[in-house]
């Protein structure tokens, strides 16, 4: 005997299916929000605008001492007021400039608040010349009064630490802030999370030095296709949640949930 099939909306308007619809919509909304979140992470602005490339800003507007280094701060032109210490400079190897590998002479300065800032002062093509410059700076007598000046340069993200090279205990392979703080400071100190590559070499008397050249990335948008795929996936899940509600209502309407067959009793 053929059973009479009820209209879809008569079944759907039963109390339990109205509640199920709200649950399905809530679940779909959650999936949609996750999809939107993934989509927002799919587009990342990289590089600097032309205005940012030539306009210096205060270092404190980009980074905070003791905090992490934000991507937007890398290679930004900044200014800072600090006093140079010239205690025990170090050399950082594998620094490319003009197609050649050389060495940075790295020192540090202190702000009025006592915060340490690691500075890359100059580039040297020859290791022996760089060592001679480092020894000359180390031999200087530090002034009794801190000489605070305004410095300008490019803020650089820290690198992962690597062991010192065989060229000497003060010649390192990477610009690691944590590693250099242990080299410069004898105790706990507050430090900026990045290093400053100075625009002008502050040690004019050292021969063989060249000002550091930092290239900046042009402003643009970077796509993360994996996040785009996840966003599409969450959207499919949202649609599937509503579809499952429709399918369950349809099954009850046709008697399939009771094992009755599609139309036969």
């Amino acid at each position: 005997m053929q059973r009479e099939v009820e209209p879809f909306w008569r079944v759907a308007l039963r109390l339990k299916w109205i509640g199920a619809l709200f649950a399905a919509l809530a679940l779909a909304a959650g999936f949609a929000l996750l999809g939107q979140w993934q989509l927002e992470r799919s587009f990342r602005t990289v590089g600097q605008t032309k205005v940012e490339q030539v306009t210096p800003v205060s270092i404190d507007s980009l980074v905070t001492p003791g905090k992490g280094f934000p991507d937007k701060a890398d290679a930004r032109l900044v200014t800072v007021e600090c006093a140079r210490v010239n205690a025990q400079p170090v050399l950082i190897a594998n620094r490319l400039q003009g197609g050649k590998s050389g060495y940075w002479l790295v020192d540090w300065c202190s702000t009025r608040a006592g915060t340490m800032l690691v500075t890359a002062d100059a580039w040297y093509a020859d290791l022996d010349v760089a060592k001679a410059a480092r020894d000359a700076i180390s031999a200087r007598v530090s002034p009794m009064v801190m000489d605070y000046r305004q410095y300008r340069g490019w803020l650089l993200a820290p690198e992962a630490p690597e062991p010192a090279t065989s060229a000497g205990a003060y010649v390192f392979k990477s610009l690691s802030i944590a590693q250099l703080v242990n080299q410069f400071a004898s105790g706990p100190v507050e430090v900026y999370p990045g290093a400053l590559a100075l625009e002008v070499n502050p040690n004019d008397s050292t021969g063989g030095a060249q000002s550091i050249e930092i290239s900046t990335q042009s402003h643009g948008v970077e796509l993360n296709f994996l996040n785009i795929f996840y966003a599409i996936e969450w959207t499919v899940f949202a649609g599937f949640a509503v579809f499952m509600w429709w399918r369950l209502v349809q099954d009850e309407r046709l008697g399939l949930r009771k094992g009755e067959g599609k139309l036969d009793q």
Side-chain angles (χ1 to χ4, degrees):
M1 179 179 176
Q2 193 177 47
R3 67 186 290 272
E4 182 181 352
V5 179
E6 294 183 88
F8 178 84
W9 290 110
R10 181 179 295 177
V11 178
L13 288 175
R14 291 171 184 168
L15 189 59
K16 68 175 182 179
W17 292 119
I18 293 176
L21 175 60
F22 282 116
L25 291 176
L27 191 61
F31 287 148
L33 289 175
L34 287 171
Q36 182 182 7
W37 175 71
Q38 288 286 174
L39 191 61
E40 290 174 353
R41 289 165 55 89
S42 301
F43 303 92
R44 187 169 71 96
T45 301
V46 296
Q48 304 174 27
T49 64
K50 291 183 179 180
V51 175
E52 288 175 333
Q53 291 177 20
V54 298
T55 306
V57 296
S58 169
I59 189 173
D60 293 309
S61 67
L62 295 177
V63 293
T64 302
K67 303 294 184 180
F69 190 93
D71 291 340
K72 67 177 183 179
D74 194 22
R76 285 292 302 274
L77 192 60
V78 300
T79 59
V80 62
E81 184 185 38
C82 63
R84 300 188 57 75
V85 178
N86 292 333
Q88 291 293 327
V90 300
L91 301 177
I92 307 296
N94 308 318
R95 303 296 105 176
L96 294 176
Q97 184 157 311
K100 297 180 180 180
S101 180
Y103 301 83
W104 280 355
L105 189 147
V106 173
D107 210 331
W108 64 282
C109 67
S110 177
T111 66
R112 293 185 184 275
T115 304
M116 174 188 288
L117 174 62
V118 174
T119 65
D121 300 349
W123 181 85
Y124 294 84
D126 185 79
L127 177 59
D128 291 334
V129 176
K131 284 183 175 180
R134 182 230 177 227
D135 293 341
I137 295 171
S138 300
R140 293 176 183 172
V141 178
S142 300
M144 297 298 294
V145 180
M146 299 289 277
D147 184 17
Y148 291 97
R149 298 185 183 182
Q150 190 86 356
Y151 293 95
R152 192 169 92 163
W154 295 273
L155 190 59
L156 303 179
E159 301 171 6
E162 294 187 33
T165 69
S166 58
Y170 55 84
V171 183
F172 296 92
K173 296 179 183 178
S174 64
L175 187 66
S176 167
I177 301 302
Q179 193 175 43
L180 294 176
V181 168
N182 291 332
Q183 181 77 16
F184 293 142
S186 57
V189 63
E190 193 172 49
V191 60
Y192 282 103
L196 185 66
L198 296 177
E199 192 175 40
V200 178
N201 178 18
N203 305 301
D204 296 330
S205 60
T206 57
Q210 295 182 30
S211 295
I212 295 175
E213 298 175 1
I214 301 295
S215 59
T216 57
Q217 186 178 2
S218 299
H219 188 266
V221 177
E222 199 173 72
L223 296 179
N224 187 319
F225 290 100
L226 183 60
N227 281 339
I228 292 176
F229 171 78
Y230 287 148
I232 295 173
E233 192 175 55
W234 285 120
T235 303
V236 172
F237 288 161
F240 185 74
V242 178
F243 170 78
M244 280 300 299
W245 171 84
W246 175 87
R247 183 68 263 175
L248 291 172
V249 174
Q250 189 76 343
D251 287 351
E252 179 165 309
R253 170 176 171 258
L254 300 177
L256 298 179
R257 297 181 66 245
K258 297 178 181 179
E260 298 172 351
K262 186 172 181 180
L263 292 175
D264 297 330
Q265 193 170 22

